[in-house]
């Protein structure tokens, strides 16, 4: 029996586009957030770039003059509930509540577990885990009140699946993000809200480039089955899949993008 539906545009056009969608990217001012913003803009979305530093967000916006009418900025501290609520109020009064949320804001610390302080723990866990909780909860609350579905994308890490030395708070937070993804997916499927995670492996950035050029960094790269670092662009396709209607039947899933690193032997 042929169940194909020729009226569905996805059957004839497999381009990963997100035209007509409004996407919020947290932590947009630096790192992967900039790449996610660019990816979504080029795929047709209206993008709300958020972060704590207004000047950095405005600088990011100026990099996309060809998309000036589809990129907006809003300041938000993901660890502060009042700041998150205020940011969503601003969005509601302006461009509208986003139907795609990329919960990307994150920080890390590199210390032995015995040297981690309470303030270190709070900074890392509050940003990476509590931030996801606050932002996605606020988005889901507003989308469900509008009877509108959406796609919430948690940025996790392969360190949510396996561990490395000197990153205990970060690994714990990312493992929490994985469970939060599944918990939200279970509860919010009835509202048409999908919640999935994207788990990058080691991605080359300005912050880690010098380390990976060193001998310890090269040794780590040799542990990756593809024998290379990921590039920010390697995350674009998986991100667009989760943001687009092609993943309508996906919720509670994690897409791992790591060059096979999780499959490397212990």
């Amino acid at each position: 029996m042929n169940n194909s539906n020729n009226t569905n545009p996805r059957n004839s056009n497999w381009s990963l586009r997100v035209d007509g969608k409004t996407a919020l990217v947290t932590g947009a001012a630096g790192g992967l957030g900039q790449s996610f913003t660019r990816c979504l803009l080029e795929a047709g979305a209206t993008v709300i770039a958020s972060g704590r530093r207004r000047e950095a967000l405005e600088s990011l916006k100026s990099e996309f003059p060809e998309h000036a009418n589809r990129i907006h900025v809003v300041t938000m501290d993901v660890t502060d509930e009042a700041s998150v609520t205020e940011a969503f109020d601003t969005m509601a009064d302006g461009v509208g509540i986003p139907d795609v949320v990329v919960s990307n804001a994150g920080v890390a610390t590199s210390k032995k577990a015995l040297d981690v302080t309470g303030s270190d723990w709070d900074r890392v866990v509050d940003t990476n885990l509590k931030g996801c909780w606050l932002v996605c909860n606020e988005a889901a609350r507003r989308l469900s009140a509008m009877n509108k579905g959406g796609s919430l994308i948690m940025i996790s890490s392969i360190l949510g699946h396996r561990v490395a030395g000197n990153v205990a708070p970060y690994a714990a937070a990312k493992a929490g993000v994985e469970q939060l993804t599944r918990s939200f997916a279970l509860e919010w499927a009835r509202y048409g809200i999908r919640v999935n995670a994207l788990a990058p492996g080691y991605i080359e950035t300005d912050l880690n480039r010098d380390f990976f050029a060193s001998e310890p960094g090269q040794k780590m790269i040799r542990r990756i089955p593809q024998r290379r670092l990921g590039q920010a662009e390697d995350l674009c396709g998986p991100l667009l899949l989760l943001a687009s209607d092609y993943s309508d039947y996906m919720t509670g899933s994690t897409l791992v993008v790591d060059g096979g690193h999780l499959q490397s032997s212990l």
Side-chain angles (χ1 to χ4, degrees):
M1 180 176 179
N2 186 352
N3 291 320
S4 64
N5 179 1
N6 292 327
T7 65
N8 189 332
R10 287 183 289 168
N11 290 335
S12 57
N13 179 9
W14 287 97
S15 175
L16 283 173
R17 299 287 302 177
V18 285
D19 301 279
K21 295 188 181 296
T22 299
L24 168 67
V25 179
T26 70
L32 294 181
Q34 293 182 352
S35 179
F36 293 150
T37 297
R38 178 179 295 105
C39 176
L40 289 161
L41 280 171
E42 293 178 351
T46 295
V47 180
I48 304 164
S50 78
R52 293 180 298 176
R53 297 174 291 138
R54 181 85 188 191
E55 183 178 343
L57 295 172
E58 293 291 352
S59 177
L60 174 65
K61 180 178 179 179
S62 70
E63 295 179 16
F64 304 102
E66 70 278 23
H67 302 307
N69 63 326
R70 288 193 290 108
I71 181 169
H72 307 268
V73 301
V74 60
T75 54
M76 176 169 57
D77 179 350
V78 299
T79 70
D80 184 328
E81 186 171 4
S83 177
V84 172
T85 300
E86 181 179 355
F88 272 84
D89 286 342
T90 299
M91 289 181 251
D93 292 338
V95 68
I97 298 300
D99 47 9
V100 173
V101 173
V102 183
S103 188
N104 167 70
V107 296
T109 187
S110 180
K111 288 185 179 182
K112 294 180 180 179
L114 289 174
D115 296 330
V116 171
T117 65
S119 60
D120 291 332
W121 175 272
D122 289 345
R123 175 174 171 267
V124 173
V125 175
D126 281 1
T127 305
N128 291 281
L129 182 55
K130 181 183 177 183
C132 282
W133 168 273
L134 290 176
V135 171
C136 290
N137 242 340
E138 190 66 25
R141 185 178 296 112
R142 299 197 186 219
L143 288 170
S144 61
M146 298 162 61
N147 292 316
K148 184 179 181 181
S151 174
L152 310 184
I153 304 168
M154 310 279 215
I155 303 304
S156 180
S157 168
I158 59 170
L159 288 170
H161 298 258
R162 289 174 65 174
V163 297
N166 302 333
V167 289
Y170 185 83
K174 290 304 186 180
V177 167
E178 294 279 339
Q179 283 293 78
L180 195 60
T181 296
R182 291 185 275 271
S183 295
F184 282 166
L186 176 65
E187 293 193 26
W188 296 342
R190 70 195 68 184
Y191 304 119
I193 298 171
R194 299 182 295 107
V195 190
N196 295 288
L198 180 60
Y202 288 113
I203 305 296
E204 185 176 23
T205 68
D206 290 339
L207 293 178
N208 65 27
R209 189 169 290 113
D210 288 344
F211 168 74
F212 281 115
S214 69
E215 179 51 36
Q218 290 294 304
K219 183 177 180 181
M220 186 176 292
I221 292 173
R222 290 193 290 271
R223 294 286 306 279
I224 302 171
Q226 287 192 354
R227 298 297 190 271
R228 71 173 180 91
L229 290 176
Q231 300 300 311
E233 295 76 14
D234 289 321
L235 301 174
C236 189
L239 178 78
L240 289 178
L241 172 63
L242 296 179
S244 74
D245 294 339
Y246 287 106
S247 56
D248 269 351
Y249 204 51
M250 289 178 64
T251 195
S253 298
T254 296
L255 293 184
V256 177
V257 185
D258 69 345
H261 202 165
L262 284 183
Q263 314 313 318
S264 62
S265 58
L266 293 173

